[in-house]
Amino acid sequence: MDASVYPVPSVAAVRIGDEIHALAAEIYPICRSITGAGVRETLRLLGRHIDLEQHAVPTGTRVFDWRIPREWTIRDAFIRSADGRRVLDFKASNLHVVNYSMPIRRYISTVDLKRHVFTLPDQPDLIPYRTSYYEPDWGFCMSQRALDAMTDDTYEICIDSELADGHLTYGEYVHAGETEREFLLTAHICHPSLANDNCSGLALLTLLARNLVARRTRHTYRFLFAPGTIGSLAWLAANEERVPLVDHGLVVSCVGDAGGPTYKQSRRGNALIDRAMAHLVSHLPPNGKAIPFSPYGYDERQFCSPGFDMPVGLLQNSAFGTFPEYHTSADDLDFIRPEHLERSYRLIMDAIEIVETDRRPVNLLPKGEPQLGRRGLYSKLGGSGPGAAMPMLWVLNLSDGAHSLLDMAERSGLHYRLILDAADVLEAEGLLSSGE
Amino acid sequence: MDASVYPVPSVAAVRIGDEIHALAAEIYPICRSITGAGVRETLRLLGRHIDLEQHAVPTGTRVFDWRIPREWTIRDAFIRSADGRRVLDFKASNLHVVNYSMPIRRYISTVDLKRHVFTLPDQPDLIPYRTSYYEPDWGFCMSQRALDAMTDDTYEICIDSELADGHLTYGEYVHAGETEREFLLTAHICHPSLANDNCSGLALLTLLARNLVARRTRHTYRFLFAPGTIGSLAWLAANEERVPLVDHGLVVSCVGDAGGPTYKQSRRGNALIDRAMAHLVSHLPPNGKAIPFSPYGYDERQFCSPGFDMPVGLLQNSAFGTFPEYHTSADDLDFIRPEHLERSYRLIMDAIEIVETDRRPVNLLPKGEPQLGRRGLYSKLGGSGPGAAMPMLWVLNLSDGAHSLLDMAERSGLHYRLILDAADVLEAEGLLSSGE
Amino acid sequence: MDASVYPVPSVAAVRIGDEIHALAAEIYPICRSITGAGVRETLRLLGRHIDLEQHAVPTGTRVFDWRIPREWTIRDAFIRSADGRRVLDFKASNLHVVNYSMPIRRYISTVDLKRHVFTLPDQPDLIPYRTSYYEPDWGFCMSQRALDAMTDDTYEICIDSELADGHLTYGEYVHAGETEREFLLTAHICHPSLANDNCSGLALLTLLARNLVARRTRHTYRFLFAPGTIGSLAWLAANEERVPLVDHGLVVSCVGDAGGPTYKQSRRGNALIDRAMAHLVSHLPPNGKAIPFSPYGYDERQFCSPGFDMPVGLLQNSAFGTFPEYHTSADDLDFIRPEHLERSYRLIMDAIEIVETDRRPVNLLPKGEPQLGRRGLYSKLGGSGPGAAMPMLWVLNLSDGAHSLLDMAERSGLHYRLILDAADVLEAEGLLSSGE
């Protein structure tokens, strides 16, 4: 990490990481799903910070090849032994129930029950996260150790759930900019008590949106908190005319752990957001990296389907599926840290800075170098190198109207912020026009 | 090697390797050259399997910058010591005579004889393979040990050969397809008893041609068995109007040893056959690789000359010149193995599959992903990865009419066969049109 | 180093290295600056070998954003202790005075003096080289050890210099070719007693220019010896109409040390000179390499400013700033060696050969290979490889009118000289037209 670009966090800076963590902690206990009260309650909590609009799409509504399913309500679930002890209790962890399980209550032989129980034998203390949204079924998730301890022949099981006509809900917040051109920032809201995936993304984007309120921007910023797949499809179906307005987009998830950052490119691979994020993460060694698009992941799958092909990438710290805590009960509030959340927050703010400020300036004295020393912009002592003038030399050299500031950052290997600052100084000196 | 794509050979599959080896063994003893009875006899034996047409080009015929040479006949050759013992005998190995040697019979001092003897001092037990097609000369090839054992002062030498007007012969077999667009498959037939170079290629292509008989194909498949250089030039001179019809081509040689596979690109470097073979060999670690074109090698030199610039590459296992057995008596029937021949056979069959099936399908539900689960194409349990659906996700995502199946295989890193199977399933489900 | 291309230097070849070193030694003692008598004296010594024209630009002349400064004269300088001993003496090393120091003579406390003294604490025996061209100031440079030995409280200091209206001087020599298209070769002349930087470049280019006299060339060769930055700007200001005529250019500096060679590309990165030099240095392992353009360095900064964007790169051995002797008194005549100077000389001569001879020949027998053996151009014995014919095979294969000789050298990996020789032989044989 380049200390001159990413200084040691100040007290103020640390605060945003703490704030994000606190908000993530607030929504962490809620049992979310692709529909239901958990999503609405989460949106209500996020809505304390921004003016969030809730959209409700009725059960049965067609969204492209899909149909909004019945709404799922879950009240309680348990496995109870003959002695009345709950050997599994939904109240202890909402991961214990396969998400979208149908209601069931009966006595069942342990043999039959095990056909509906999911564990992680290689991580015997952890509860896996499983779902069955579109196939009517029921099941329990538990630690292998808990399962091994179930020595009775029969248990009483209960899933006090309900599937009924209702709505799919998603939340939307728009920060209006000077133009209609949009930057879409979205996080999935369907996962229950998993902190990194995706309380981290929901909390981060909410507070980033709040902090953007006071800022005048060229782009319009749209924040979308929708259930995975069906939620983004519902938004797309309702907003097809907006798709061509989206110039940049990020799906944000798993942004609180210590890994990465990992930027997954959009299907296009060379959109401005792809280049900006690849640039930014490349300045965060040793683990910062950009990886190519693939059609499995989060909602970039839908945004990047061939009928939309939007410039929407995915920002994560560790890539989903690559960390052992992924989709388990170990993805808890200890797994995400304020300092990692802060770094992710700053990365997105930096990406916003790039799309807001990128331009193709024009050197007004393009023949030879202007005399920077006379203007106090160059070391007076010759013979010992360019010192801090290097970003200015790059900007002057490449300001031919064909190179954008991001082009200059990429070619020079210097952080965009250094290039931007140099361009601003040179403009102020009258050496550069701002270009377009 | 990806077990799901290249399963352990079944009994039936092993058979083709054995068949190829047996046919290679059948033609191995024949003393071939660029003209003469050996070529005709070889074509006769190959012709037991396919309806091979023999073409005879008379001595003196101009083929571009060359002229068909006189036909060479070799009956016997020896070096005999004073005690009547043959210290070198053509009947023991047809490599013993420099191919195309002029007739000679006389007593010669050992000193003078040695000027006409070729050995491999670094491989003292092996006989080298040498030729002198276009420069009238004579010579013997022998092991260094045999030469070292020649302690007499004088020997009787005999090369009972003949150079006389006759013909150059090549064989051709055509599998007619639905279109005139051709796939040219060719192996040089001029090397004498060298098993890998090129009994392996001759036998493999013959049996592949035989196995293609029952198959309907879009392309027309032309099999050419011609002497190196002058033979392919003779074919080109007689078939100039066919050159533009050849969309794909492979020179096949040295396909029975344990190395490689090595695909040498055509001069174009990015022809479909280049991409298909590079893709296929890249899925055969650890040694599978594509190497760039260079103008030295086998008959790709002629097909890729600038006046033709045909999309014809070279398939080998170990690259010629890189294995110690190359052009020596150690390139014998033990050096080639049925399992290696079979792998080469399958590689070419896979290349044929690619050129026959490659297309640009169109996703008929391009907005978002179609609901694969509803169609039984996706794991019902959520939360644990895409499983076997990955190839389908890639095909759906890239089926925009601009990407071919091979493009998809290249971009995804998945074997073409997985992509092809996925496209077939999706077409059957009505989710994809076949495109062009 | 490929022995067949760069043979062991002959006696004649070694001579040029010695000659260059001797000329560098002759100009080494002179105290040069961006103006003044030292530059004129250096040009006079170089002018013994070529018909060098001196251009004088008056103080105050505008050159783009700059103005020609007053001329600097330096006669003497010292720091004297109370006992009358010179603890620093300009006559011992002209590096001792900050170049362009204003005149001063007085007694000064050691404390105050030290604010004007530059040392290299990490290289305590060396004197650094420092300048203050455009900021009126004065200072001394000395070894850390010498400074540490200054234990008196007060010293007498003297800089017997003068800043007065005068001229900036640069030298120019033109070797007229058949066309007006130019190859610009330039070396900065402003550094005082630094052997590698840049007595080496000045001496090398002078003798190269002399050796070019007898040679007919297609290009016109312009040699420019000008002070860094302001000198090249002065030339550009006076020769703007020549800029579009310059097809190739090299800034030459630091060409006598044992490192590299290092070729820094022009801003374009793919100009013919960039490709030629990258090719040539790649054949000089282990340290030969091309590096990308950056806007800090020598006068390529001005030639490659966006208003000119000339195809001018920088040839060095070790890259400036990367060797410990850089800009210190250790950059002396022992640091540069005849054999390194010779290699640099040959590199530039090879680059000249490329731009003079590069062309797109056309194979007159493009269908198949011509029969090289019949023409005595191919080994008569078959079976043992292409031998020396490989460059000819490449040239024949790629002579389609679309590939230049340099293209062929790049694609084949063979040295340009081998490709050129092969093309010449094939042309002489009537197999190739020279193309354009």
Side-chain angles (χ1 to χ4, degrees):
Chain A
M1 203 184 300
D2 181 343
S4 69
V5 173
Y6 283 96
V8 175
S10 65
V11 172
V14 169
R15 196 167 48 79
I16 185 66
D18 287 332
E19 269 195 300
I20 297 168
H21 195 277
L23 180 53
E26 200 177 0
I27 61 177
Y28 174 74
I30 300 168
C31 183
R32 281 167 292 273
S33 182
I34 55 172
T35 62
V39 173
R40 285 188 291 270
E41 173 63 7
T42 303
L43 290 172
R44 189 185 68 79
L45 292 174
L46 302 182
R48 290 177 176 175
H49 301 275
I50 49 175
D51 188 15
L52 202 55
E53 185 176 6
Q54 289 201 19
H55 299 261
V57 189
T59 295
T61 305
R62 286 292 300 253
V63 289
F64 306 114
D65 189 48
W66 303 61
R67 214 177 270 279
I68 302 296
R70 286 182 294 168
E71 191 175 315
W72 186 58
T73 301
I74 175 83
R75 283 175 290 260
D76 194 10
F78 58 80
I79 300 175
R80 188 150 55 193
S81 54
D83 60 7
R85 196 173 44 87
R86 287 191 172 200
V87 299
L88 175 150
D89 189 350
F90 173 74
K91 293 183 171 63
S93 168
N94 54 41
L95 301 184
H96 274 320
V97 171
V98 169
N99 205 293
Y100 250 70
S101 279
M102 309 189 59
I104 190 165
R105 176 149 200 166
R106 64 175 168 105
Y107 291 90
I108 189 169
S109 75
T110 305
V111 169
D112 287 347
L113 172 57
K114 283 187 176 178
R115 291 199 200 98
H116 289 265
V117 170
F118 300 95
T119 66
L120 296 166
D122 293 343
Q123 298 169 292
D125 292 315
L126 304 186
I127 309 164
Y129 162 60
R130 295 291 179 267
T131 70
S132 187
Y133 300 137
Y134 302 103
E135 178 74 10
D137 204 346
W138 61 269
F140 295 98
C141 299
M142 61 198 305
S143 73
Q144 183 66 41
R145 274 196 221 293
L147 181 62
D148 293 343
M150 285 172 59
T151 51
D152 293 0
D153 288 341
T154 312
Y155 287 91
E156 180 189 4
I157 62 170
C158 166
I159 298 178
D160 181 11
S161 67
E162 190 181 331
L163 282 163
D165 282 356
H167 297 84
L168 173 141
T169 317
Y170 63 83
E172 204 173 8
Y173 167 75
V174 175
H175 170 86
E178 294 166 14
T179 73
E180 277 203 311
R181 309 306 307 179
E182 292 201 359
F183 193 141
L184 174 68
L185 292 147
T186 179
H188 58 272
I189 198 170
C190 49
H191 286 36
S193 292
L194 298 168
N196 201 33
D197 182 13
N198 194 20
C199 297
S200 70
L202 294 166
L204 187 155
L205 285 187
T206 298
L207 296 175
L208 189 145
R210 182 203 65 188
N211 290 354
L212 217 54
V213 167
R215 186 161 161 188
R216 270 186 68 179
T217 57
R218 285 201 295 146
H219 292 79
T220 290
Y221 289 79
R222 180 174 305 270
F223 295 82
L224 175 63
F225 305 110
T229 306
I230 187 74
S232 57
L233 288 169
W235 183 85
L236 281 163
N239 294 276
E240 275 205 64
E241 81 292 350
R242 301 223 149 261
V243 168
L245 293 172
V246 177
D247 284 340
H248 323 287
L250 281 177
V251 174
V252 178
S253 74
C254 302
V255 285
D257 69 279
T262 308
Y263 175 69
K264 175 182 158 184
Q265 298 167 332
S266 80
R267 182 182 186 268
R268 300 183 188 181
N270 63 352
L272 183 59
I273 189 68
D274 295 323
R275 293 176 50 212
M277 293 306 301
H279 171 71
L280 292 169
V281 298
S282 76
H283 280 263
L284 292 168
N287 295 318
K289 66 169 180 290
I291 60 174
F293 176 78
S294 88
Y296 182 74
Y298 293 106
D299 284 327
E300 71 279 6
R301 291 164 66 167
Q302 310 309 324
F303 298 119
C304 295
S305 59
F308 295 119
D309 195 23
M310 295 168 74
V312 177
L314 166 66
L315 179 64
Q316 307 179 287
N317 283 359
S318 294
F320 68 85
T322 66
F323 50 94
E325 296 83 357
Y326 175 71
H327 279 190
T328 76
S329 51
D331 180 0
D332 60 18
L333 289 169
D334 290 333
F335 183 55
I336 62 173
R337 301 296 313 147
E339 59 269 31
H340 310 319
L341 292 162
E342 181 203 331
R343 188 189 64 185
S344 302
Y345 174 91
R346 285 167 167 255
L347 256 179
I348 300 175
M349 277 300 198
D350 282 351
I352 289 174
E353 179 154 79
I354 291 177
V355 306
E356 287 290 319
T357 60
D358 198 25
R359 56 187 184 266
R360 291 181 157 72
V362 175
N363 184 335
L364 300 173
L365 295 173
K367 293 180 177 177
E369 291 173 13
Q371 194 174 5
L372 296 178
R374 167 156 58 89
R375 298 173 174 86
L377 301 177
Y378 206 86
S379 165
K380 288 166 172 49
L381 183 74
S384 58
M390 208 64 214
M392 270 182 280
L393 295 179
W394 272 111
V395 171
L396 287 168
N397 188 268
L398 294 179
S399 289
D400 53 9
H403 291 85
S404 70
L405 295 182
L406 183 55
D407 290 334
M408 298 178 199
E410 289 174 340
R411 182 158 172 186
S412 68
L414 298 173
H415 196 283
Y416 183 86
R417 195 170 302 157
L418 297 175
I419 293 291
L420 176 63
D421 289 348
D424 287 345
V425 166
L426 292 168
E427 274 187 44
E429 284 289 333
L431 294 172
L432 218 59
S433 79
S434 65
E436 29 146 354
Chain B
M1 201 184 304
D2 180 344
S4 69
V5 173
Y6 283 96
V8 176
S10 66
V11 173
V14 169
R15 195 165 50 77
I16 185 67
D18 288 332
E19 268 194 301
I20 298 168
H21 196 277
L23 180 53
E26 200 177 0
I27 62 177
Y28 174 74
I30 301 168
C31 183
R32 280 166 294 272
S33 181
I34 55 171
T35 62
V39 173
R40 285 188 291 270
E41 173 62 8
T42 303
L43 289 172
R44 189 186 67 79
L45 292 175
L46 303 182
R48 289 177 176 177
H49 301 276
I50 49 175
D51 187 15
L52 202 54
E53 186 178 4
Q54 290 201 17
H55 298 263
V57 189
T59 295
T61 306
R62 289 289 303 253
V63 290
F64 305 115
D65 190 49
W66 303 61
R67 214 176 270 280
I68 301 296
R70 285 181 295 168
E71 189 175 315
W72 185 58
T73 301
I74 176 81
R75 283 174 291 261
D76 194 10
F78 57 81
I79 300 175
R80 188 151 54 191
S81 55
D83 61 6
R85 197 173 44 87
R86 288 190 170 200
V87 299
L88 175 151
D89 188 349
F90 173 74
K91 293 184 170 64
S93 168
N94 55 40
L95 301 183
H96 274 318
V97 172
V98 169
N99 205 292
Y100 250 70
S101 278
M102 308 188 60
I104 190 167
R105 176 147 201 170
R106 64 172 168 107
Y107 291 90
I108 189 168
S109 74
T110 305
V111 170
D112 288 347
L113 173 57
K114 283 187 174 177
R115 292 198 199 98
H116 290 264
V117 170
F118 300 95
T119 66
L120 297 167
D122 293 343
Q123 298 170 292
D125 292 316
L126 304 186
I127 309 164
Y129 162 60
R130 295 291 179 269
T131 69
S132 187
Y133 299 138
Y134 301 103
E135 178 74 10
D137 204 345
W138 61 269
F140 295 97
C141 299
M142 60 199 304
S143 73
Q144 183 66 40
R145 275 197 220 294
L147 180 63
D148 292 344
M150 285 171 59
T151 51
D152 293 0
D153 288 342
T154 313
Y155 287 90
E156 180 190 2
I157 61 168
C158 166
I159 297 178
D160 181 11
S161 68
E162 190 182 328
L163 282 164
D165 283 357
H167 296 85
L168 173 142
T169 316
Y170 64 82
E172 204 173 8
Y173 168 75
V174 175
H175 170 86
E178 292 165 17
T179 73
E180 277 203 310
R181 309 307 306 178
E182 291 201 358
F183 193 141
L184 174 67
L185 293 147
T186 178
H188 59 273
I189 198 170
C190 48
H191 285 36
S193 292
L194 298 168
N196 201 33
D197 184 13
N198 194 18
C199 297
S200 71
L202 295 165
L204 186 156
L205 285 187
T206 298
L207 296 175
L208 189 145
R210 183 203 64 188
N211 289 354
L212 217 55
V213 168
R215 185 160 163 190
R216 270 187 68 179
T217 58
R218 284 201 296 146
H219 292 77
T220 290
Y221 290 78
R222 181 174 305 270
F223 295 82
L224 175 63
F225 305 110
T229 306
I230 187 73
S232 57
L233 288 170
W235 182 85
L236 282 164
N239 294 276
E240 276 205 63
E241 81 291 350
R242 300 224 149 262
V243 167
L245 293 173
V246 177
D247 284 341
H248 324 287
L250 282 176
V251 174
V252 177
S253 74
C254 302
V255 285
D257 69 278
T262 309
Y263 175 70
K264 176 182 158 184
Q265 297 167 333
S266 79
R267 181 181 186 269
R268 300 184 188 180
N270 63 352
L272 182 59
I273 189 68
D274 295 324
R275 294 175 51 213
M277 293 305 302
H279 170 72
L280 292 170
V281 299
S282 76
H283 280 264
L284 291 169
N287 295 317
K289 66 168 180 290
I291 59 175
F293 177 77
S294 88
Y296 183 72
Y298 293 106
D299 285 326
E300 70 279 6
R301 291 164 67 167
Q302 311 309 323
F303 298 119
C304 295
S305 59
F308 296 119
D309 195 23
M310 294 167 73
V312 176
L314 166 65
L315 178 64
Q316 306 179 288
N317 282 0
S318 294
F320 69 84
T322 66
F323 50 94
E325 296 83 356
Y326 175 71
H327 278 190
T328 76
S329 51
D331 181 0
D332 60 18
L333 290 169
D334 290 333
F335 183 54
I336 63 173
R337 301 296 313 147
E339 59 269 30
H340 310 319
L341 292 162
E342 181 204 330
R343 188 189 65 186
S344 302
Y345 173 91
R346 285 165 168 257
L347 256 180
I348 301 175
M349 278 300 197
D350 281 351
I352 290 173
E353 181 156 78
I354 291 177
V355 305
E356 288 289 320
T357 61
D358 198 25
R359 57 187 184 263
R360 290 181 158 72
V362 176
N363 183 335
L364 299 173
L365 295 173
K367 294 181 177 176
E369 292 172 14
Q371 194 174 7
L372 295 179
R374 166 156 58 89
R375 296 171 175 89
L377 301 177
Y378 207 85
S379 165
K380 289 165 171 47
L381 183 73
S384 58
M390 208 63 213
M392 270 182 281
L393 294 178
W394 272 110
V395 171
L396 286 168
N397 188 268
L398 295 178
S399 289
D400 53 9
H403 290 85
S404 70
L405 296 182
L406 183 56
D407 291 334
M408 299 178 198
E410 288 175 340
R411 182 158 173 186
S412 67
L414 298 174
H415 195 283
Y416 183 87
R417 195 169 302 157
L418 296 176
I419 293 291
L420 176 63
D421 289 348
D424 287 345
V425 166
L426 292 168
E427 274 187 44
E429 284 289 332
L431 294 173
L432 218 60
S433 79
S434 65
E436 29 147 350
Chain C
M1 203 184 302
D2 181 342
S4 70
V5 173
Y6 283 96
V8 175
S10 66
V11 173
V14 169
R15 196 165 49 77
I16 185 66
D18 287 332
E19 269 194 301
I20 297 168
H21 195 276
L23 181 53
E26 201 177 358
I27 62 176
Y28 174 75
I30 301 167
C31 182
R32 280 165 294 272
S33 181
I34 55 171
T35 62
V39 173
R40 284 188 292 270
E41 172 63 7
T42 304
L43 290 173
R44 189 186 67 78
L45 292 175
L46 302 183
R48 289 177 175 175
H49 300 276
I50 49 174
D51 187 15
L52 201 55
E53 187 177 3
Q54 289 200 17
H55 298 262
V57 189
T59 295
T61 306
R62 287 290 303 253
V63 289
F64 306 115
D65 190 49
W66 304 60
R67 214 176 270 279
I68 302 295
R70 285 182 296 167
E71 191 175 314
W72 186 58
T73 301
I74 175 83
R75 283 174 291 262
D76 194 10
F78 58 80
I79 301 175
R80 190 150 51 192
S81 55
D83 60 7
R85 197 173 43 87
R86 289 191 170 197
V87 300
L88 175 150
D89 189 349
F90 173 72
K91 292 185 173 63
S93 168
N94 55 40
L95 301 183
H96 273 319
V97 172
V98 169
N99 206 292
Y100 251 70
S101 278
M102 308 189 61
I104 190 166
R105 176 150 199 167
R106 63 171 167 110
Y107 292 88
I108 189 169
S109 75
T110 306
V111 169
D112 287 347
L113 172 57
K114 283 187 175 177
R115 291 197 201 99
H116 290 264
V117 170
F118 300 94
T119 65
L120 297 166
D122 293 342
Q123 299 169 292
D125 292 315
L126 304 186
I127 310 164
Y129 161 61
R130 294 290 179 269
T131 70
S132 187
Y133 299 138
Y134 302 102
E135 178 74 9
D137 205 346
W138 61 270
F140 295 97
C141 299
M142 60 198 305
S143 72
Q144 183 65 42
R145 275 196 220 292
L147 181 63
D148 292 344
M150 285 172 59
T151 51
D152 293 0
D153 288 342
T154 312
Y155 287 90
E156 180 189 4
I157 61 168
C158 166
I159 297 178
D160 180 9
S161 66
E162 190 182 330
L163 281 164
D165 281 359
H167 296 85
L168 171 142
T169 317
Y170 63 83
E172 203 173 10
Y173 167 75
V174 176
H175 170 86
E178 293 164 15
T179 73
E180 278 203 309
R181 309 307 306 178
E182 292 200 359
F183 193 140
L184 174 67
L185 292 147
T186 179
H188 59 272
I189 198 170
C190 48
H191 286 36
S193 291
L194 298 168
N196 200 33
D197 184 14
N198 195 17
C199 297
S200 71
L202 294 166
L204 186 155
L205 284 187
T206 298
L207 295 175
L208 189 145
R210 183 202 64 187
N211 290 353
L212 217 54
V213 168
R215 185 162 163 188
R216 273 185 66 179
T217 57
R218 285 201 296 146
H219 292 78
T220 290
Y221 289 79
R222 181 174 305 270
F223 295 82
L224 176 63
F225 305 110
T229 305
I230 187 74
S232 56
L233 288 170
W235 182 86
L236 282 163
N239 293 275
E240 277 205 64
E241 81 291 351
R242 300 223 149 263
V243 167
L245 293 173
V246 177
D247 284 340
H248 324 287
L250 281 178
V251 174
V252 177
S253 76
C254 303
V255 285
D257 69 279
T262 308
Y263 175 69
K264 175 182 158 184
Q265 297 167 333
S266 79
R267 181 181 186 269
R268 301 183 187 179
N270 63 352
L272 183 59
I273 189 67
D274 296 323
R275 294 175 50 212
M277 293 305 301
H279 171 71
L280 292 170
V281 299
S282 77
H283 279 263
L284 291 169
N287 296 318
K289 66 167 180 291
I291 60 175
F293 177 77
S294 88
Y296 183 72
Y298 293 106
D299 285 326
E300 71 279 6
R301 291 164 67 166
Q302 311 308 324
F303 298 117
C304 295
S305 59
F308 296 119
D309 195 22
M310 294 168 73
V312 177
L314 166 66
L315 179 63
Q316 307 179 289
N317 282 359
S318 294
F320 69 85
T322 66
F323 51 95
E325 296 84 357
Y326 175 72
H327 278 192
T328 76
S329 51
D331 181 0
D332 60 17
L333 290 169
D334 291 333
F335 183 54
I336 62 172
R337 300 296 313 148
E339 59 271 29
H340 310 319
L341 292 161
E342 181 204 329
R343 188 189 64 184
S344 302
Y345 174 90
R346 286 167 167 255
L347 256 180
I348 301 175
M349 278 299 197
D350 282 351
I352 290 174
E353 180 155 78
I354 291 177
V355 305
E356 288 288 320
T357 61
D358 197 24
R359 57 187 183 264
R360 291 182 157 72
V362 175
N363 183 336
L364 300 173
L365 295 174
K367 293 180 177 176
E369 292 172 13
Q371 195 175 6
L372 296 178
R374 167 157 58 88
R375 296 172 175 88
L377 301 176
Y378 207 86
S379 166
K380 288 166 173 50
L381 183 74
S384 57
M390 207 65 213
M392 272 182 279
L393 294 179
W394 273 110
V395 172
L396 287 168
N397 188 268
L398 293 178
S399 288
D400 53 9
H403 291 84
S404 70
L405 295 182
L406 183 56
D407 290 335
M408 298 178 199
E410 289 175 340
R411 180 157 173 186
S412 68
L414 298 174
H415 195 283
Y416 183 86
R417 194 171 301 157
L418 297 175
I419 293 291
L420 176 63
D421 289 348
D424 287 345
V425 166
L426 292 168
E427 274 187 43
E429 285 288 332
L431 294 173
L432 219 60
S433 79
S434 65
E436 29 147 351

